[in-house]
Amino acid sequence: MHSLNAPQREAVLYTQGPLLVLAGAGSGKTRVITEKIAHLIASGQREARHIAAITFTNKSAKEMKERVARRVKGDAAEGLTISTFHALGLRFLQQEAGRAGLKRGFSVFDPDDQMAIVKDLMPAGTRPDVLERLRGLVSRAKNEALTPEQAMERAMSAVEREAANLYAKYQQRLAAFNAVDFDDLIRLPVQLLEADPDFAAGWRERIRYLLVDECQDTNGAQYRLLKALAGPRGSFTCVGDDDQSIYAWRGAQPENLNLLARDYPELRIIKLEQNYRCGQRILRLANTLIAHNPHEHLKTLWSDQREGDRIRVWRCENSEHEADRVAAEIDYLSKAKDIPYGEFAVLFRGNHQSRPLEKALQLLRIPYHLTGGTAFLERAEVKDALAWLRLVANPDDDAAFLRAVASPARGIGGTSLARLAELARQHQLSLDGAARQMSVLKQLQPRIAAALGEFAGIIDRLRDDAERLPAKDLVMALAERSGMLEAFRATSKDKAGYERRKANLEELAGWFDGPKSSVGDLAAQMMLLSHADRGEPGNAVRLMSLHASKGLEFRAVFLVGLEDGTLPHEASLEEGRLEEERRLLYVGITRAKEHLVLSHSLETRRWGETVRLTPSRFLDELPQGDLLRDGADPEAEAASRKARGRAHLAAMAALFEESK
């Protein structure tokens, strides 16, 4: 702890009441949280089993666990909870399933499952955008921890009333499936805790100290969960930064930081303002930009890193020209400054901006990784295996049944499944239950009835396997019994394709290292993993959206597409919502440690026409003395172009030699 600065040490040692740590970008907030956990345990103030730390990604939770393990001796950290909000909610519901109206082994539905229910409940032919809007309104009501009845009471328009109606039917369908969705993992614990003070007090005895990371990203329901678990005594440390709140589109409410002071009058506030990441000039850019936003708690980041060169602002002809300049500069810096490719990031407002960048990097043979590509858990064979596991654990999971029965295909088409679903509703059975009823099967074509009977037999054998096999072995058992591996052999173009899909299932099996009886719980936990939880992409340039870059840092950062209509986004300009767009650029700037380039294009092509673009208004909010705009210093630019030109020609010559 001796290496902590004074505010960090104060934040670690203060345990007398509620605490808010305002942690600026690069100020060491994760270290403060892990040191505080270690201090609470080592000082004997709290046993590890009574401490819970909440993060926003499983990847962050894993990193925090590893740091705590290095700081705490022996088994003193045993029983410590470090998880995401949703994982904590899942654990809560698994322990309190009966109180929540659930049976053990309930399923967690992902967005695809949710949309399938919404589509089924709405009239045939409802437009996809209408379905998505209604699903979003249902999700918003849940994120405010509202019941369907409360959502109807608050409805102010016809579409909100339609969404509240849908919400009620949607919940009935989830109950029939013995399932919850992601939003329920927070909403249900909040409603149970708020409804019964004695029950809430019991949970506060289990969790006697709470630490919450990225508090500015909490939505209404998450904030209420925090309050319900912390209770009136406020034994918590919340860490956040209102300047890095960039998730309003998914319900984040940065004003929750201000609510803490209202709900806990004795709240102590400690500011972490020393930045350990950025050069002074980069930090000055960030501070000047974000000062244009209103602040409840003003803070000014400072750094003792070197000043650094002036920040270049590129004026490019179009996105292709911009991409070529980015690729050439990465090629130059990687060689001239010996910067590994993995220390470069190219950040943009939307993923569609990656296409010309990928082409330019490919041309120079520069390895890159596009964040937001097909995630491991979104691969078809992985989702299929998870559906089988969900169905093995929960016979009422109709969404899992529909995916599993079609993966691999066994000659049961959509019309037959619709008929099965109709008969299941008539008999008040799940699809799995209906597939086992002779009275139901007799009303189907003999070929379909036989296929369903065979499918039910496979599920039965896998349920027997689940009683005796470790969960990781069950994954490969189902891959064999279900016919997946055989289907891979038949449908893969070559042996490599088969091996790749099989390897994905083997990797999934490796994730299941829990006890053999917890296959249902493990399948549910798998549903909570996100893009942010994948492993590192290795030594490759990172292409990613500004939203995805939060929490990361790189030696060299390129911010592209800085035009009005892109950043700030067109919708934000029309609606006057510039504060979050400004925070988004602030987050991008503060990812850079040494080198930062800001670029914009003069024109683009839209619907076959050339459209002139206006540089982002945010560029004029930056300290102009710290910028080096194209054309401002012709002599320096000429020397720079000469050096980079030589490097580019050398790279192209090397490629030519390789191609001989």
Side-chain angles (χ1 to χ4, degrees):
M1 195 184 297
H2 64 279
S3 60
L4 298 175
N5 63 37
Q8 288 175 333
R9 191 176 302 109
E10 183 184 3
V12 168
L13 296 177
Y14 183 75
T15 58
Q16 290 76 36
L19 174 65
L20 170 61
V21 180
L22 289 171
S27 63
K29 66 180 179 63
T30 303
R31 187 169 179 216
V32 166
I33 295 172
T34 53
E35 287 289 338
K36 186 153 197 171
I37 293 170
H39 170 67
L40 287 167
I41 296 171
S43 65
Q45 294 184 55
R46 299 289 189 282
E47 294 179 53
R49 63 193 177 96
H50 293 310
I51 300 172
I54 304 176
T55 71
F56 269 83
T57 69
N58 289 283
K59 182 179 176 182
S60 298
K62 183 173 181 286
E63 179 188 348
M64 203 174 286
K65 285 176 185 174
E66 291 170 350
R67 288 197 188 191
V68 171
R70 290 195 293 268
R71 287 286 292 110
V72 178
K73 295 179 181 178
D75 58 359
E78 190 173 337
L80 173 68
T81 296
I82 300 180
S83 72
T84 63
F85 267 106
H86 290 95
L88 181 66
L90 176 60
R91 175 186 151 200
F92 179 102
L93 291 177
Q94 285 168 344
Q95 294 181 28
E96 307 290 353
R99 187 181 283 266
L102 298 164
K103 291 180 281 187
R104 291 201 61 79
F106 62 85
S107 296
V108 180
F109 278 12
D110 69 8
D112 288 346
D113 299 328
Q114 290 176 266
M115 185 52 78
I117 296 175
V118 169
K119 186 176 181 180
D120 189 49
L121 291 173
M122 294 299 294
T126 303
R127 292 201 326 264
D129 62 314
V130 174
L131 294 174
E132 182 55 42
R133 186 181 182 195
L134 290 170
R135 189 201 65 78
L137 287 171
V138 170
S139 181
R140 188 174 75 180
K142 290 189 170 195
N143 283 334
E144 294 175 12
L146 301 178
T147 63
E149 296 75 22
Q150 290 169 329
M152 182 60 78
E153 289 172 8
R154 293 195 185 188
M156 302 290 288
S157 64
V159 69
E160 288 181 352
R161 285 190 289 275
E162 185 178 16
N165 246 331
L166 173 65
Y167 182 8
K169 295 175 184 175
Y170 175 83
Q171 286 306 113
Q172 290 170 3
R173 187 66 62 87
L174 283 183
F177 293 163
N178 188 34
V180 296
D181 61 23
F182 286 4
D183 298 327
D184 287 327
L185 296 176
I186 311 297
R187 181 185 68 89
L188 289 173
V190 167
Q191 290 178 350
L192 292 174
L193 291 165
E194 290 181 346
D196 188 337
D198 292 336
F199 176 64
W203 266 90
R204 287 195 287 270
E205 277 301 303
R206 298 188 205 184
I207 300 176
R208 298 181 188 176
Y209 202 91
L210 194 62
L211 302 102
V212 181
D213 192 12
E214 307 285 11
C215 194
Q216 79 280 350
D217 291 335
T218 54
N219 60 34
Q222 288 164 340
Y223 180 77
R224 284 167 63 180
L225 181 60
L226 184 165
K227 275 184 62 182
L229 291 174
R233 70 178 183 265
S235 293
F236 66 77
T237 293
C238 284
V239 181
D241 181 7
D242 50 350
D243 290 334
Q244 295 189 74
S245 180
I246 57 174
Y247 298 117
W249 52 275
R250 69 182 188 199
Q253 299 174 356
E255 58 270 23
N256 287 345
L257 294 180
N258 303 332
L259 288 180
L260 283 171
R262 184 201 70 184
D263 294 333
Y264 294 92
E266 297 180 359
L267 180 74
R268 185 162 179 175
I269 298 176
I270 296 173
K271 298 178 183 180
L272 304 184
E273 297 176 296
Q274 182 175 1
N275 174 286
Y276 291 92
R277 175 189 302 153
C278 307
Q280 292 184 34
R281 201 185 294 273
I282 292 171
L283 206 54
R284 196 155 55 240
L285 240 69
N287 281 335
T288 305
L289 174 72
I290 207 63
H292 288 80
N293 275 4
H295 287 82
E296 184 82 13
H297 307 288
L298 190 63
K299 63 181 182 303
T300 302
L301 298 186
W302 62 275
S303 169
D304 58 10
Q305 308 293 318
R306 62 186 290 271
E307 176 80 353
D309 299 330
R310 281 195 288 171
I311 310 305
R312 279 181 293 161
V313 179
W314 288 349
R315 183 179 65 245
C316 304
E317 293 300 321
N318 49 43
S319 59
E320 286 75 20
H321 178 219
E322 180 179 58
D324 288 342
R325 289 187 73 174
V326 169
E329 186 71 0
I330 290 173
D331 188 58
Y332 170 74
L333 289 175
S334 67
K335 296 177 174 65
K337 304 288 185 181
D338 195 27
I339 302 176
Y341 288 130
E343 285 288 344
F344 289 94
V346 188
L347 309 181
F348 33 75
R349 180 63 176 80
N351 283 328
H352 66 280
Q353 294 170 263
S354 72
R355 296 187 193 105
L357 293 161
E358 291 186 74
K359 183 178 177 182
L361 291 169
Q362 287 170 356
L363 184 63
L364 292 184
R365 304 277 183 91
I366 296 173
Y368 67 88
H369 177 269
L370 176 62
T371 299
T374 303
F376 173 72
L377 290 171
E378 291 176 351
R379 297 185 187 280
E381 58 270 20
V382 174
K383 294 192 79 169
D384 291 344
L386 286 173
W388 277 84
L389 290 172
R390 285 164 52 190
L391 184 60
V392 167
N394 177 11
D396 296 324
D397 192 336
D398 281 4
F401 180 97
L402 290 171
R403 181 156 193 137
V405 79
S407 308
R410 53 192 74 247
I412 306 173
T415 303
S416 298
L417 288 173
R419 177 59 176 156
L420 177 67
E422 180 186 341
L423 293 169
R425 279 195 289 272
Q426 290 175 10
H427 290 77
Q428 296 184 317
L429 295 168
S430 66
L431 293 176
D432 181 78
R436 300 163 187 283
Q437 286 288 327
M438 192 56 65
S439 58
V440 170
L441 295 177
K442 282 181 178 178
Q443 299 181 65
L444 299 171
Q445 295 177 26
R447 179 181 60 80
I448 301 300
L452 286 171
E454 180 185 354
F455 176 73
I458 296 171
I459 294 294
D460 285 341
R461 288 192 289 278
L462 287 170
R463 285 178 182 148
D464 289 339
D465 289 340
E467 293 296 319
R468 59 182 184 80
L469 291 178
K472 62 180 181 180
D473 292 341
L474 183 64
V475 175
M476 297 316 294
L478 80 83
E480 188 66 56
R481 286 192 189 280
S482 67
M484 272 191 208
L485 294 181
E486 185 179 338
F488 292 170
R489 290 189 191 95
T491 59
S492 296
K493 293 180 180 178
D494 50 33
K495 186 177 179 182
Y498 163 75
E499 293 293 347
R500 183 171 58 252
R501 295 164 80 183
K502 181 184 177 186
N504 284 334
L505 293 188
E506 289 170 343
E507 182 178 343
L508 177 66
W511 292 23
F512 281 77
D513 55 1
K516 65 181 181 182
S517 60
S518 64
V519 62
D521 291 349
L522 286 166
Q525 288 165 19
M526 291 296 107
M527 303 294 286
L528 304 186
L529 296 175
S530 67
H531 290 255
D533 302 313
R534 290 183 288 161
E536 293 300 317
N539 187 28
V541 174
R542 301 288 293 274
L543 306 181
M544 65 177 69
S545 70
L546 286 157
H547 285 99
S549 73
K550 190 165 172 291
L552 303 176
E553 59 181 42
F554 305 90
R555 286 179 63 184
V557 169
F558 298 80
L559 283 165
V560 300
L562 293 184
E563 304 102 22
D564 274 359
T566 303
L567 184 68
H569 193 270
E570 187 174 7
S572 300
L573 288 171
E574 291 173 354
E575 298 166 16
R577 296 183 291 103
L578 290 179
E579 291 175 15
E580 179 156 332
E581 294 292 297
R582 190 177 284 115
R583 291 196 292 266
L584 203 51
L585 180 55
Y586 172 85
V587 165
I589 290 172
T590 53
R591 299 311 95 197
K593 294 193 281 190
E594 301 170 18
H595 303 278
L596 176 64
V597 173
L598 312 175
S599 75
H600 65 91
S601 295
L602 297 176
E603 61 184 37
T604 189
R605 297 281 293 176
R606 287 181 191 157
W607 303 292
E609 295 184 1
T610 299
V611 178
R612 297 294 293 179
L613 300 172
T614 303
S616 171
R617 62 195 62 198
F618 294 149
L619 290 171
D620 292 333
E621 296 180 357
L622 302 174
Q624 299 304 302
D626 288 314
L627 303 180
L628 180 58
R629 294 178 181 263
D630 277 351
D633 189 341
E635 190 174 329
E637 285 181 38
S640 175
R641 277 198 303 272
K642 190 173 181 181
R644 285 157 174 77
R646 283 197 300 267
H648 185 65
L649 286 174
M652 296 305 292
L655 289 176
F656 179 73
E657 286 299 319
E658 285 180 25
S659 65
K660 283 184 177 179

